Each structure stands twice: as structure tokens, then as C-alpha cells.
Amino acid sequence: MPNSTTMVGLPPLPSYTLSPLPPLIAPIPDKFLTLIFPIVAYWALSLFFHFLDVNDYLPQYRLHTPVELLKRNHVSKTDVIRDVLIQQVIQTVIGVLLGMTEPEDVIGKEHYDVSVWATRIRIAQRLIPGILSLVGLNAAGMAKNIANSYPVLSGFLAGGKYPWLTHAVSLSSGEVTVVPAFAAWEIIAAKATYWVLVPAFQFSLAVFFMDTWQYFLHRAMHSNLWLYRTFHSRHHRLYVPYAFGALYNHPFEGFLLDTMGASIAFKFAGLTTRQGMWFFTGSTIKTVDDHCGYALPWDPLQHLTGNNAAYHDIHHQSWGIKANFSQPFFTFWDRILGTTWTGGDASAKYERSRKSAQNVAVEGGAGTSIAGEPSDNPNQPRHAGTKTLLPGFQENLKPLTSASRQATESLEQALQDIENGGPRILAEETEEEKETRIGLRRSPRKKGGNPTPSDVGSLKGLRERVNGSLHGRSGGVLGLESSR
């Protein structure tokens, strides 16, 4: 029986035979590699950044000094590693269950699928004469005039008619017949669609879903006090994020935001097992990079999108906790819904945090070594490059009302986070700013009231200081510079 496509003047679709897809790394099945690769990538990249940390390499690109990491975080590295391993166990169990729902990847149908796309391209060409007629062009006449000089273009203008393109095929009966064939450009376009455009669309869909899933659940964790205190506050014990703390979460939050978000995105986008392997591994690498604590100019992940380590680090600070919710890929939801950081350049804030942590270390009678461990040298020099405007800190200012609201809400949430030391962090930062203002009194600037650490406990006083800062009346709780 002739192929049905031949009956309507279309090239016939080829037959195919399916066979299992060979594993990427024999003899380990791809379904197991999908579970292994993200974990290996997580710890391999984390160890790379940890190596930079303990050896104090590239200090000019660090967002925080080792002293800050030691003094401002409220969880031990042992507890962080434990909770990350718990999440990865949960992630692996869900991955096994997810793999059981997936069919086995096969090969052998690629030529058929490319021909299907070529057929769609051929059918779509039938619209060309009608489209050209809308602008007053005679497609048939144009095709006739160039038929001898440009036969392929002539066939395209005529609506995908290439009568001279044929090839011989053998039927099941043993007879040989001549059938229509595809033009070379149709095959090229079909291959580009099948091998590039469709996978790119699938990955884009998965990224969009995961970004959407994480943004709204992450924002909910900050909007609902019970959710924040019960689940999400654990992640914010890391005021100074580092690479292997990227998945430091409450187990339920890790399951809901990360594991389920990635799993549903995988299903939603219709990815294959091997595509899922790269998607899960890529999202893991991006998450670790966003928490690495470095603004590296040669790190491609920090330049492909605006959602990088500098961007997300702002969210971990007491003054930016109500901003920059987007994770892990892009920032479009922050921009659309107005939750990007609105306080302008944050380099001065980071400088004050460095000084505050250093002062705490000195007053405590011990410095901090480059590796982040106690040191006998309390006068350890500050890191180079602290005055540099780090990538990701330059944002366009929004209206003052938005900045004031965002700053107040961030500081209020930090105050409420008693278990993780939020009030103490604010008190230390406030004291440092007071000392900074004392050093500036010789300038002809109008003096305002100097807050004390005890003032931090009053939300009313907090709002007044934040609003006063934003309108240029005082230095503010955290030195929020006036945008005037």
C-alpha cells in the first residue's frame, strides 16, 4: 500500500526501527547518571570555591571577607553539610521515583522525525501565494518568471511545488516507484528545527517553569511569618553565603522548592531522560554559583543572566532580605513584580559589613585567618578591592516610596528572626554606622540623631530612621544613602 503522504503529493515518510539508546557512560544507565551528576557537580564546584576560600585566592573578587563568614553566620559548616546531604538523599529518592515513570530512551527514529518536520515545512509553503497576494504580488507569475534561473525559489513561491525533485523507493511488494523528494533547504531547516530549536524551546520552558515555581514559593516564604520562621529562616542563617551552603534548607523547603520544582519542570517541558540529566545538573551548578560568594568577571554563568552571586547575595543581607527573590536562572519576575533591590549601589553597605565584622573580631580578642579559622593576628589586613563597585550592585533607583517600603520590610524581617541572630546583626551594623558618622562630622552636613543598638528593637524607630535616611535626614540604620 502506498504511503499516505504520496497520495497528497508529499514525499513519503521513511520507515524506522527503534533500539535502546546506549548509556552516556557505559555500563551505567542514564537514569542513574541523572541522579549522580547533579550531586557530583554540586560538591565538585563547591570544593573549587572552598579551595579559593581557604587559600584566600582571588580576594579582590570576594563579596565578603573570611572574618564576615566566621562572625556573621549562625550555623556551623558541619550542620550545613549534614542538611545538604539530607536534601540530596530526598532528591535521589524522588529522582528514582521520577525515573520509574519515564519510558526508556530509544534511537532509530531521528530520520523519520526530521522528515516529519520537513513535511510540515512543505505544507506551510502552501500559504506563501496567499500571503503574497495580500500585498498585491502575483506568486504564480513570479514563480514562472524565475523558474529557469532559480528553480528552488520558484517552487517556494509557487507554494512548495518541486515537481522535478523525485527519488526511487522500493515498495513492500518489491516494486520500485518514483515518489516526491524534499528540497535540500527543507531538510536543513527540518534538522535545525529537530536538533536545535525544539530542544532549545524545551529547555526554555523548563527554565521558565522552574524560575516561576521558585519565585512565588520563595516570596511566599518571606511574606508569611509562619512559613519563614518554620522553614525558610534556616537558609538565612547564612548571612554570608558560600558555595556548599547553596542547598542548606529545611528538608521540607528543599523538597518543595528545589526537588519538586525541578521535577515538575522536567515533566512540564517534556524532556527526555538525557535532557533531564543536563537540566538537573545545569540548575545545580547555577544554584551553587549563585551562592559562591564571588563576583568573578570571567565566570560565564555570572554574565549570561543578571541573576548571579552578587544579585542573590543582596537577598541574604539584613537590608535586602525582602528583595531579589528570583532563583535560579533569570530575574524577570523580580523586574515584573517590582521586587528587585531598589536601594541603589550596595558597595558601601558591603564595606560597612566588612568593617563591622572586623571590629567584632578585634574586640573579641582574636582575629580571623584567611581560611576563616581563629588567628593569633587580630590586625589582619582588609581585602583588596573593597572600594570597587562589584558587578550586580548597580541598579536603577525606583521611587522613594518603593525603596522605603522594601528597606523597612527587610529590616523588620531581620528583627523578627531572633533564632538566627537577626537583631544582633542589625545592632552590630548600626553601631558601625554610628562610628562611621562620627568620623564624618567634620563635613558641613546637617547632623541627625545617632541611633544606638537598643534602638533596633523598636520598629517605630526603625521606620523613622529608614525614612529619614532615604530623604537625606540621617545616616539610617544601615547607611541607606539618600537618592537625592
Side-chain angles (χ1 to χ4, degrees):
M1 179 177 178
N3 189 293
S4 60
T5 57
T6 305
M7 298 173 61
V8 293
L10 295 172
L13 298 175
S15 59
Y16 60 88
T17 301
L18 297 177
S19 60
L21 176 69
L24 186 66
I25 302 178
I28 307 174
D30 280 359
K31 289 185 179 181
F32 289 115
L33 292 178
T34 302
L35 304 176
I36 296 171
F37 275 11
I39 296 176
V40 171
Y42 185 92
W43 291 109
L45 188 58
S46 294
L47 287 174
F48 167 74
F49 283 113
H50 184 64
F51 176 77
L52 297 182
D53 287 344
V54 298
N55 291 285
D56 198 36
Y57 293 139
L58 306 177
Q60 68 272 28
Y61 299 122
R62 293 187 73 155
L63 302 178
H64 301 276
T65 64
V67 179
E68 288 182 273
L69 188 149
L70 184 65
K71 295 298 181 182
R72 298 187 65 216
N73 284 341
H74 295 268
V75 60
S76 69
K77 292 182 178 179
T78 302
D79 288 345
V80 169
I81 294 173
R82 179 202 64 201
D83 282 11
V84 169
L85 291 175
I86 290 174
Q87 177 163 336
Q88 289 180 333
V89 168
I90 297 173
Q91 170 184 305
T92 301
V93 171
I94 297 301
V96 170
L97 297 176
L98 186 67
M100 294 172 62
T101 68
E102 285 297 300
E104 184 179 21
D105 283 353
V106 294
I107 57 174
K109 197 183 175 185
E110 295 79 12
H111 184 44
Y112 175 88
D113 290 334
V114 168
S115 297
V116 169
W117 279 105
T119 299
R120 293 168 179 166
I121 293 171
R122 176 67 64 88
I123 293 173
Q125 293 172 68
R126 296 176 179 176
L127 301 175
I128 298 299
I131 294 174
L132 292 178
S133 68
L134 295 177
V135 294
L137 297 177
N138 183 352
M142 294 170 61
K144 184 177 180 180
N145 292 335
I146 62 174
N148 294 328
S149 303
Y150 304 99
V152 175
L153 179 58
S154 173
F156 175 80
L157 293 174
K161 296 178 180 179
Y162 307 93
W164 69 94
L165 292 178
T166 60
H167 68 104
V169 296
S170 298
L171 302 178
S172 57
S173 62
E175 298 180 24
V176 177
T177 184
V178 176
V179 297
F182 292 110
W185 79 268
E186 291 175 316
I187 295 297
I188 293 173
K191 286 182 177 180
T193 302
Y194 178 75
W195 293 108
V196 179
L197 298 182
V198 171
F201 175 76
Q202 288 177 293
F203 278 104
S204 298
L205 200 60
V207 165
F208 172 80
F209 182 91
M210 191 168 181
D211 273 355
T212 302
W213 177 275
Q214 292 215 2
Y215 174 86
F216 286 100
L217 287 177
H218 184 194
R219 187 173 179 180
M221 291 282 182
H222 283 276
S223 300
N224 183 283
L225 184 59
W226 180 82
L227 288 176
Y228 182 80
R229 286 179 172 174
T230 307
F231 303 114
H232 192 54
S233 64
R234 180 178 300 197
H235 184 67
H236 280 277
R237 292 173 185 174
L238 294 176
Y239 278 86
V240 180
Y242 47 82
F244 64 85
L247 292 183
Y248 171 66
N249 297 302
H250 187 284
F252 176 75
E253 180 191 352
F255 165 75
L256 181 63
L257 265 71
D258 298 309
T259 304
M260 288 303 297
S263 299
I264 298 175
F266 166 78
K267 284 289 191 181
F268 181 71
L271 300 177
T272 65
T273 299
R274 184 162 293 183
Q275 287 175 322
M277 181 194 306
W278 304 124
F279 174 67
F280 296 141
T281 304
S283 60
T284 298
I285 291 173
K286 184 67 170 63
T287 299
V288 172
D289 195 77
D290 289 348
H291 290 82
C292 70
Y294 288 84
L296 301 174
W298 38 261
D299 182 350
L301 293 178
Q302 299 200 15
H303 298 283
L304 290 175
T305 75
N307 199 345
N308 50 34
Y311 184 88
H312 186 67
D313 193 88
I314 287 176
H315 175 72
H316 275 263
Q317 306 312 304
S318 58
W319 39 266
I321 201 170
K322 283 284 192 175
N324 294 11
F325 297 114
S326 291
Q327 276 289 103
F329 295 105
F330 295 91
T331 63
F332 54 86
W333 283 120
D334 273 329
R335 296 197 306 271
I336 292 172
L337 298 180
T339 53
T340 52
W341 164 249
T342 57
D345 173 43
S347 295
K349 298 180 186 301
Y350 278 79
E351 176 69 6
R352 281 190 289 270
S353 294
R354 292 183 180 98
K355 289 181 179 178
S356 178
Q358 186 69 26
N359 289 343
V360 170
V362 171
E363 291 170 4
T368 300
S369 69
I370 294 298
E373 302 297 336
S375 169
D376 294 331
N377 178 17
N379 299 315
Q380 179 178 319
R382 278 188 304 132
H383 278 46
T386 53
K387 291 293 185 181
T388 303
L389 298 184
L390 297 172
F393 293 159
Q394 293 288 359
E395 300 287 346
N396 292 328
L397 289 177
K398 293 187 177 181
L400 291 177
T401 54
S402 174
S404 175
R405 173 186 55 76
Q406 189 180 81
T408 301
E409 290 177 354
S410 294
L411 298 174
E412 285 180 354
Q413 185 150 69
L415 281 173
Q416 294 166 351
D417 193 12
I418 298 174
E419 179 182 355
N420 299 315
R424 186 184 68 80
I425 292 291
L426 290 179
E428 292 172 357
E429 292 172 343
T430 301
E431 183 65 25
E432 176 61 29
E433 290 180 42
K434 182 176 71 174
E435 295 175 1
T436 301
R437 285 199 307 277
I438 291 175
L440 295 175
R441 281 179 178 173
R442 63 173 66 100
S443 64
R445 182 179 170 187
K446 182 178 180 180
K447 298 180 182 179
N450 294 328
T452 65
S454 61
D455 293 336
V456 178
S458 169
L459 293 183
K460 179 179 178 181
L462 171 67
R463 290 191 180 92
E464 291 174 352
R465 290 193 300 278
V466 169
N467 290 330
S469 168
L470 289 168
H471 289 83
R473 292 196 296 269
S474 71
V477 175
L478 292 172
L480 287 166
E481 295 81 1
S482 170
S483 62
R484 289 185 177 180

